[in-house]
Structures are given as C-alpha cells and as structure tokens.
Amino acid sequence: MRILITGGSGFLGSHLSEKLVKEGHDTICLDNFYTGNRQNVQHLLDYPNFELVRHDVTFPYYAEVDRIYNLACPASPVHYQANPVQTTKTSVHGAINMLGLAKRTGARILQASTSEVYGDPEVHPQTEDYWGRVNPIGIRACYDEGKRCAETLFFDYHRQNNVEIRVARIFNTYGPRMQPNDGRVVSNFIVQALNGQNITIYGDGNQTRSFCFVDDLIEGLVRFMELEENFPGPINIGNPCEFTILELAESIIRLTNSKSKVVFKALPQDDPMQRKPDIGLAQSKLGWEPKIQLEEGLTKSIEFFSKLDKISG
Ligand SMILES: NC(=O)c1ccc[n+]([C@@H]2O[C@H](COP(=O)([O-])OP(=O)(O)OC[C@H]3O[C@@H](n4cnc5c(N)ncnc54)[C@H](O)[C@@H]3O)[C@@H](O)[C@H]2O)c1
C-alpha cells in the first residue's frame, strides 16, 4: 500500500514509519521538523520504499495514497504552547487538508487524537462516550480544542463525504526517541535521574497517569487502521495500568541507580488529576491490549536516553 504519515519524523511517527517501511509499504513521511527530526528516521533513508518530505500540513499536499496517518502536531505542552496559534492551525487546517486529500484519493485516514479531549475528567476511567471537561480559554486549549475540532472535522467528512475515518484517542505514550527536553514526564524524570539532578514533581505527586510503551501503541494504531469493519471510532488506545507520578519517579530512580532526590513544585494550570483509559472497546474491536509492563518499557527508554551524547534537562 501507499501510506502517508504526517508528523512522520516525530516520536510516534518515526516508530510507525519504521514498522510500515519494514512491512514493505511505500511510505511517505511528511514533516516540517518542528519537533521531529531527520535523525529519528535516518535509518530508513536507504529503503527504496521510504520517502522523507519537508512540508507543513497547514498547506495542502497532493499524493496518490491508500492510507493517511495524521500525526502532525506538537504533543508536549512546552512545544504546543510556544506558538499556540500555530498549534491550533496545525490541528484544524492540517485536518482539513488531509481530509481533503482522503476525500479526493479515497484513502482511509486515521487521526492521532488524544486523551486531552477529555480535559480534566469527572469520569474515571474515561470511556469513549464521555464528552470531556476542557477549559476552552486556558493555556492548554490550543492543543485540546484543536484536537477536539479535528475530531469534529473527521466525523463531518465521514458523514458528509463518506470518507473512511479512524479516530484514535491516544493516552500518554513513552519510549525511545522522545525528546529529552520537551517537558513530558517520563523523559523529564529519566533525564533528571541520569544527570543526578533533582526530580521535579508538579503538585504533590498523587496525580495519576497511565503510561503506554510506544511499540504497544503503534500496534494498536495499525490494527485500528486495518480493521475490516468500517468503524470510525473514537477508540481509546493506551495502557490502563495507573501509577502516581511519585511512583513513576521512584521507579526511575531505582532503575537508573540514581542519587536524585524528588522535589515538589506548584501544579500548572489545568493539569488533570487523573487520567486512565477504559480500553474495553479496543479489546473487543481490535483484539488489542498493551503487553509491555512499565518496568520493561522504562528500561528500554533509559537505555535510549543513556546513549544520547549529551542530554539536557
Ligand atoms: N506521545 C503521546 O503521548 C501522545 C498522546 C496523545 C496524542 N498524541 C498525538 O500523536 C501525534 C504524535 O505525537 P508525538 O508524541 O510523536 O509528538 P512529536 O512532537 O514527537 O511529533 C509530532 C510531529 O509532527 C510534526 N509537526 C508539527 N507540526 C507540523 C506541521 N504543521 N506540519 C508538518 N509536521 C508537523 C513535528 O515536527 C513532529 O515530527 C500528535 O498528533 C499528538 O498529538 C501523542
């Protein structure tokens, strides 16, 4: 198949590119390199079925393709808040451009949506029928509302133009090729632990998160894309094992044999207290559930970060 991946040289996109290239698909990896980089896909450049294209999804792109994975969007607060107007444009104009391409080519299109569409949820764990609790004017809104609007566009193109859509709501995912300095909790803690710096917890550390290892996540996305039943979703994809942020910090300190101490700082605005997917739908529709336990995934991630020449926290 001919497959387009937007945001293909980012953290998730590079793992997805790798899987699809190795399966023999003609893969176009499209990226403006805002948070992604060439190094993430360097090892794929010699494959004849891999093509790397510099392009911004806020502008139309034309190619004959059978599948589109729409991943382009900065995912960490540090990056999506650096230029919030561009973040909303990337989600909304990017969705319009890629849906237009799907409509024209008849391609099936998957949207990398997010658990952030649930905001600070009153329902726990979050099921797909929960509408969410998002602050539309807060500093996270450029990302949360951008992704919500993208979901709306996906469902309207589906209803209005019969575009075959797949909306995946991705929960916290971690693993090799996360950026060391992007403020995401797992990479932050690993970098701090490896550098022997204090590990910074925002709030009292009792807020919980569930962490999915990247290989599990990618398997879930591909299964959803290739699901024979024409089921648009949304489907939650994530790991339901819940840990407090404090437990995460303690595991990382132990696995890195670090002497780092934990320090506590004020919680940022609109930071959700709990986040855990209900993955019943993914289990029944896709026969999918995560296989890699936190400790195993953290060990692989620590190995990646410890090989980086210089890591900055
Ligand atoms: N990693 C997670 O835990 C997580 C959770 C929920 C949702 N997601 C979603 O998955 C997708 C990938 O996330 P990630 O963790 O790999 O983040 P990432 O920042 O590593 O990857 C995003 C990629 O999109 C590219 N990009 C950004 N704006 C673009 C634009 N205008 N045009 C073209 N390319 C652009 C970046 O350069 C980068 O390569 C995102 O859409 C994100 O919202 C990720």
Side-chain angles (χ1 to χ4, degrees):
M1 269 189 295
R2 295 159 305 176
I3 302 181
L4 173 66
I5 306 173
T6 75
S9 73
F11 161 48
L12 298 183
S14 64
H15 287 274
L16 180 61
S17 296
E18 185 172 326
K19 179 176 170 68
L20 298 175
V21 166
K22 289 186 175 167
E23 283 177 0
H25 300 291
D26 274 331
T27 308
I28 305 174
C29 167
L30 187 148
D31 210 295
N32 70 349
F33 304 124
Y34 175 49
T35 51
N37 59 65
R38 278 168 196 281
Q39 287 73 32
N40 283 344
V41 290
Q42 189 78 35
H43 59 300
L44 302 176
L45 293 175
D46 286 339
Y47 283 79
N49 56 332
F50 180 75
E51 197 179 335
L52 179 61
V53 178
R54 182 192 287 266
H55 181 82
D56 190 312
V57 290
T58 59
F59 298 96
Y61 178 77
Y62 300 102
E64 296 305 319
V65 288
D66 307 297
R67 300 280 187 266
I68 304 169
Y69 287 88
N70 188 36
L71 272 59
C73 186
S76 75
V78 173
H79 292 122
Y80 72 63
Q81 287 166 7
N83 187 343
V85 172
Q86 180 63 19
T87 300
T88 304
K89 279 187 186 171
T90 293
S91 275
V92 176
H93 292 204
I96 291 170
N97 288 329
M98 290 307 130
L99 285 160
L101 181 63
K103 180 181 160 192
R104 191 178 64 77
T105 56
R108 188 180 292 172
I109 179 166
L110 180 144
Q111 167 69 354
S113 191
T114 168
S115 56
E116 301 291 339
V117 300
Y118 299 124
D120 191 1
E122 307 107 318
V123 170
H124 192 73
Q126 290 84 53
T127 44
E128 290 84 351
D129 55 5
Y130 175 54
W131 290 355
R133 180 166 169 262
V134 172
N135 173 0
I137 57 168
I139 56 172
R140 300 172 75 109
C142 57
Y143 184 74
D144 303 2
E145 296 290 14
K147 290 284 187 179
R148 287 169 66 96
C149 184
E151 286 200 7
T152 306
L153 285 160
F154 267 69
F155 276 84
D156 283 334
Y157 268 80
H158 175 59
R159 284 184 287 254
Q160 202 173 323
N161 302 107
N162 292 319
V163 172
E164 259 191 85
I165 61 158
R166 304 281 191 264
V167 174
R169 291 186 178 152
I170 301 171
F171 282 65
N172 259 346
T173 302
Y174 70 100
R177 302 198 201 117
M178 291 180 92
Q179 286 189 48
N181 54 355
D182 72 357
R184 288 196 247 188
V185 64
V186 175
S187 45
N188 250 16
F189 285 4
I190 294 178
V191 169
Q192 289 171 331
L194 288 173
N195 287 340
Q197 297 160 338
N198 287 339
I199 293 199
T200 326
I201 289 187
Y202 295 96
D204 62 8
N206 287 322
Q207 67 271 43
T208 64
R209 292 290 184 275
S210 56
F211 302 101
C212 186
F213 189 66
V214 60
D215 293 358
D216 279 333
L217 191 278
I218 298 299
E219 175 64 27
L221 291 187
V222 173
R223 280 198 198 191
F224 187 18
M225 177 65 110
E226 296 310 326
L227 183 67
E228 270 183 33
E229 179 189 348
N230 189 4
F231 181 70
I235 295 185
N236 290 337
I237 304 197
N239 193 323
C241 292
E242 203 174 9
F243 296 88
T244 68
I245 293 295
L246 188 57
E247 284 168 335
L248 175 74
E250 287 166 352
S251 299
I252 290 175
I253 290 176
R254 184 169 42 78
L255 292 169
T256 51
N257 290 319
S258 175
K259 298 205 167 25
S260 297
K261 300 267 171 293
V262 172
V263 295
F264 297 90
K265 288 197 179 163
L267 204 60
Q269 189 194 342
D270 295 336
D271 197 46
M273 279 307 290
Q274 279 186 316
R275 198 47 86 53
K276 169 181 166 167
D278 180 313
I279 59 162
L281 195 58
Q283 284 166 320
S284 64
K285 288 275 180 203
L286 313 178
W288 174 88
E289 60 185 13
K291 303 243 176 309
I292 297 164
Q293 303 301 320
L294 184 68
E295 190 144 329
E296 184 188 346
L298 285 179
T299 305
K300 290 183 182 184
S301 311
I302 290 167
E303 197 184 316
F304 166 80
F305 282 108
S306 55
K307 281 188 196 145
L308 292 183
D309 287 347
K310 181 176 175 296
I311 41 179
S312 50

